[in-house]
């Protein structure tokens, strides 16, 4: 009896919890066709920018911490990036082999890079007075890049948002979340109708004022404005960034500053900085070319996209050493792009030695290091290799023996010191192979 009572209590509680969390109507969700197109792009540029570049500290987070709040909130009066050249940014991304650009329209500090009618804290009240978002949207069109917009749901600057600093412990009773959400909806309507973004990258869904119902409301509004706009999974209150399910609001998962795990079931995009900080920092420690290339290979190998971040300087330029690094990535992708774009990840989990991607009957092995003379792979569920060769570096010796386990004889020196890609042509569709644990 007691067990039955407990069971009843448990069920009643579960129903209540489930009922509390409204979910998105499946009929309005972004379609698989649209999501497959997004996932085929594989590589994009993230841009974090704003008046904070005048201090070189972290965007949003340094406000009221390393830069006094009043000082931070007045930086826009000096923000005059006269060397901003949207064309150059878009070309930099294009030359890096990137297929899309996502820029911060508004970060946690509340500053708007576009001329919004719903806040005076925007670019038109800086000495620069030009619509940065519009210029970049146009440059993206010219270079055939998809244009995407980042927008955070928390805003430490807006008096209607109840937290006014990152370290706030209590909510301001004078704030009004209904007004705040209305402003947000007006701004997002503006953004969609002015710039027609391919994707919206929401952030900042973890603070206490945010409620799941706001997220449902906003997702529903966005889908009315543009049924195909893609939406990141940071709109639901406290939803985990690395997860996606019908209970989570959004279309793709967003692991941050780490490569997502191999997952064939949900779309995901890792966002990661080229150096340490999201916004520009003088002498920030930049990743090596090896780290950059292996990051994109391991991300694609896990079946995800990579949104690689740069923070332009206060004068509007992206640092030359970063442009050079990005160009080096683009040069690698010019040779090896077929093993990244439009591929699926797996069937092996990426590790420190290699990652795998696949397309049609080809399995691509991205070899990072010659740890042993033979690279031994588990069997491919009965699939047989017909041909094996380096994309750049010629034929390769291999054996496929008992139960079809594979041994690849690596040359003494790998043809590419960063990532040598081997093509295994199979007698079957590599994309259908089950994931190997
Ligand atoms: O926009 C970028 C980040 O600013 C934003 N998401 C990406 C895309 C982000 N907001 N919050 N967080 C990420 C997580 C917060 C991390 C923190 Fe910290 C750790 C905040 C305080 C300690 C990092 C380290 C920021 C300041 C110190």
């Amino acid at each position: 009896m007691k067990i039955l009572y407990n069971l009843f209590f448990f069920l009643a509680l579960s129903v209540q919890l489930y009922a509390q969390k409204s979910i998105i109507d499946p009929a309005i969700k972004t379609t698989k066709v649209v999501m497959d197109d997004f996932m085929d792009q594989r590589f994009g540029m993230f841009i974090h920018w704003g008046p904070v570049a005048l201090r070189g500290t972290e965007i949003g987070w340094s406000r009221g911490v390393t830069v006094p709040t009043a000082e931070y909130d007045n930086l826009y009066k000096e923000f005059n990036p006269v060397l901003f050249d949207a064309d150059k940014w878009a070309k930099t991304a294009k030359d890096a082999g990137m297929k899309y650009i996502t820029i911060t329209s508004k970060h946690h500090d509340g500053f708007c890079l576009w001329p919004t009618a719903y806040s005076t804290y925007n670019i038109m009240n800086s000495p620069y007075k030009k619509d940065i978002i519009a210029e970049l949207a146009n440059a993206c069109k010219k270079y055939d890049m998809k244009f995407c917009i980042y927008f955070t749901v928390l805003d430490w600057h807006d008096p209607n948002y109840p937290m006014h600093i990152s370290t706030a412990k209590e909510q301001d009773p004078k704030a009004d979340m209904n007004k705040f959400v209305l402003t947000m909806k007006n701004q997002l309507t503006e953004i969609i109708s002015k710039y027609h973004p391919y994707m919206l990258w929401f952030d900042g869904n973890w603070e206490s004022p945010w409620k799941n119902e706001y997220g449902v409301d906003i997702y529903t509004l966005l889908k009315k404005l543009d049924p195909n706009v893609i939406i990141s999974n940071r709109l639901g209150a406290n939803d985990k960034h690395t997860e996606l399910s019908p209970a989570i609001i959004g279309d793709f998962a967003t692991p941050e500053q780490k490569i997502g795990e191999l997952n064939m079931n949900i779309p995901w995009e890792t966002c990661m900085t080229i150096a340490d900080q999201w916004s520009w920092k003088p002498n920030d420690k930049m990743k090596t070319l090896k780290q950059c290339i292996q990051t994109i290979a391991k991300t694609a190998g896990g079946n995800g996209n990579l949104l690689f971040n740069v923070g332009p300087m206060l004068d509007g330029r992206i640092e030359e050493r970063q442009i050079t690094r990005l160009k080096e990535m683009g040069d690698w992708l010019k040779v090896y792009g077929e093993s990244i774009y439009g591929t699926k990840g797996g069937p092996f989990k990426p590790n420190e030695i290699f990652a795998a991607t696949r397309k049609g009957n080809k399995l691509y092995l991205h070899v990072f290091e010659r740890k042993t003379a033979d690279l031994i792979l588990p069997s491919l569920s009965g699939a047989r290799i017909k041909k094996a060769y380096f994309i750049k570096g010629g034929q390769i010796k291999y054996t496929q023996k008992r139960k079809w386990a594979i041994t690849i004889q690596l040359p003494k020196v790998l043809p590419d010191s960063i990532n040598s890609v081997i093509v295994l042509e199979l007698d079957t569709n590599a994309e259908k192979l089950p994931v190997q644990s």
Side-chain angles (χ1 to χ4, degrees):
M1 193 61 198
K2 185 143 192 245
I3 292 175
L4 266 180
Y5 176 80
N6 281 343
L7 188 68
F8 174 78
F9 185 74
F10 173 76
L11 284 175
L13 190 74
S14 313
V15 166
Q16 205 186 358
L17 282 176
Y18 185 76
Q20 269 174 8
K21 191 161 178 175
S22 40
I23 62 167
I24 302 294
D25 174 2
I28 65 162
K29 281 208 96 166
T30 311
T31 61
K32 184 171 182 309
V33 174
V34 171
M35 291 315 295
D36 286 349
D37 175 66
F38 174 52
M39 294 313 294
D40 280 347
Q41 313 298 317
R42 278 293 181 254
F43 191 28
M45 176 182 273
F46 214 170
I47 301 177
H48 276 67
W49 204 37
V52 70
L54 281 149
R55 287 295 174 273
T57 56
E58 188 57 294
I59 191 164
W61 287 100
S62 63
R63 181 180 172 275
V65 180
T66 50
V67 181
T69 306
E71 181 182 329
Y72 192 112
D73 291 351
N74 282 295
L75 289 173
Y76 75 103
K77 293 179 184 162
E78 296 171 65
F79 189 52
N80 195 14
V82 289
L83 299 181
F84 167 63
D85 181 350
D87 193 279
K88 179 114 196 251
W89 286 13
K91 185 165 188 308
T92 298
K94 188 85 183 176
D95 290 346
M98 291 161 162
K99 306 290 185 187
Y100 59 106
I101 295 183
T102 308
I103 184 168
T104 49
S105 62
K106 191 192 79 158
H107 201 265
H108 311 334
D109 62 23
F111 186 75
C112 300
L113 280 182
W114 84 101
T116 174
Y118 301 96
S119 162
T120 53
Y121 193 42
N122 81 57
I123 192 71
M124 286 307 169
N125 293 317
S126 76
Y128 192 60
K129 294 192 198 304
K130 282 186 201 159
D131 185 348
I132 286 162
I133 303 296
E135 292 197 14
L136 194 58
N138 289 336
C140 282
K141 240 178 244 150
K142 175 175 161 191
Y143 287 98
D144 194 24
M145 308 274 293
K146 297 187 188 305
F147 181 64
C148 316
I149 292 181
Y150 168 106
F151 185 102
T152 188
V153 304
L154 68 81
D155 188 330
W156 296 318
H157 185 272
D158 189 323
N160 280 322
Y161 184 79
M163 318 287 254
H164 302 310
I165 191 160
S166 66
T167 50
K169 298 269 183 296
E170 276 160 29
Q171 298 196 21
D172 173 3
K174 293 194 296 299
D176 183 337
M177 271 309 272
N178 289 332
K179 279 191 192 154
F180 179 73
V181 172
L182 183 62
T183 301
M184 185 184 290
K185 286 162 86 174
N186 284 332
Q187 290 190 327
L188 288 166
T189 304
E190 235 176 21
I191 282 177
I192 294 220
S193 49
K194 276 188 177 192
Y195 312 116
H196 312 288
Y198 174 73
M199 175 261 274
L200 284 167
W201 212 109
F202 286 99
D203 199 3
N205 60 330
W206 50 79
E207 288 195 332
S208 52
W210 191 249
K211 291 192 195 145
N212 214 61
E213 66 202 55
Y214 302 143
V216 173
D217 196 15
I218 286 175
Y219 189 99
T220 309
L221 167 75
L222 296 171
K223 288 286 144 182
K224 257 187 216 134
L225 296 169
D226 178 358
N228 287 332
V229 68
I230 299 166
I231 297 170
S232 75
N233 71 339
R234 300 192 181 191
L235 258 186
N238 282 314
D239 283 347
K240 283 227 177 74
H241 302 158
T242 50
E243 290 176 9
L244 198 71
S245 72
I248 285 179
I249 305 169
D251 303 323
F252 64 97
T254 53
E256 177 168 332
Q257 293 291 39
K258 62 177 185 213
I259 297 167
E261 282 173 21
L262 172 64
N263 192 331
M264 305 307 299
N265 304 320
I266 58 164
W268 62 267
E269 179 203 59
T270 274
C271 57
M272 195 181 280
T273 48
I274 194 170
D276 283 340
Q277 214 170 257
W278 290 100
S279 50
W280 179 70
K281 176 178 166 183
N283 293 316
D284 202 358
K285 189 163 181 276
M286 196 168 64
K287 290 186 173 66
T288 62
L289 180 60
K290 200 175 173 93
Q291 286 172 317
C292 294
I293 299 287
Q294 293 186 4
T295 298
I296 188 166
K298 286 179 192 170
T299 306
N303 204 38
N305 284 4
L306 177 65
L307 187 62
F308 207 45
N309 180 77
V310 296
M313 296 185 284
L314 61 147
D315 63 9
R317 292 173 305 153
I318 297 172
E319 266 191 51
E320 207 52 51
R321 64 181 180 131
Q322 295 187 2
I323 294 177
T324 303
R325 179 68 81 249
L326 293 169
K327 174 74 168 52
E328 289 166 343
M329 292 180 84
D331 290 344
W332 187 90
L333 282 161
K334 267 199 197 112
V335 178
Y336 296 102
E338 64 162 285
S339 69
I340 300 285
Y341 307 116
T343 62
K344 298 271 185 296
F348 311 117
K349 277 188 187 154
N351 58 40
E352 289 313 300
I353 315 276
F354 72 95
T357 54
R358 44 191 166 150
K359 185 160 46 182
N361 71 335
K362 288 180 176 163
L363 183 64
Y364 298 97
L365 288 178
H366 299 250
V367 184
F368 308 135
E369 201 188 323
R370 185 186 188 272
K371 198 101 186 199
T372 49
D374 289 338
L375 181 63
I376 298 169
L377 303 172
S379 89
L380 289 169
S381 314
R384 296 182 62 176
I385 300 172
K386 288 166 63 184
K387 233 170 145 186
Y389 51 93
F390 284 108
I391 286 188
K392 200 177 165 190
Q395 294 297 318
I396 192 153
K397 289 191 187 137
Y398 69 94
T399 54
Q400 195 175 17
K401 283 194 196 134
R402 260 181 310 121
K403 292 193 176 167
W404 308 113
I406 301 156
T407 305
I408 291 174
Q409 290 163 254
L410 296 173
K412 284 224 163 61
V413 178
L414 290 171
D416 189 310
S417 62
I418 286 177
N419 177 1
S420 302
V421 183
I422 294 170
V423 184
L424 302 180
E425 285 188 17
L426 307 182
D427 66 350
T428 182
N429 187 344
E431 295 183 31
K432 301 227 162 95
L433 296 171
V435 163
Q436 308 273 348
S437 52

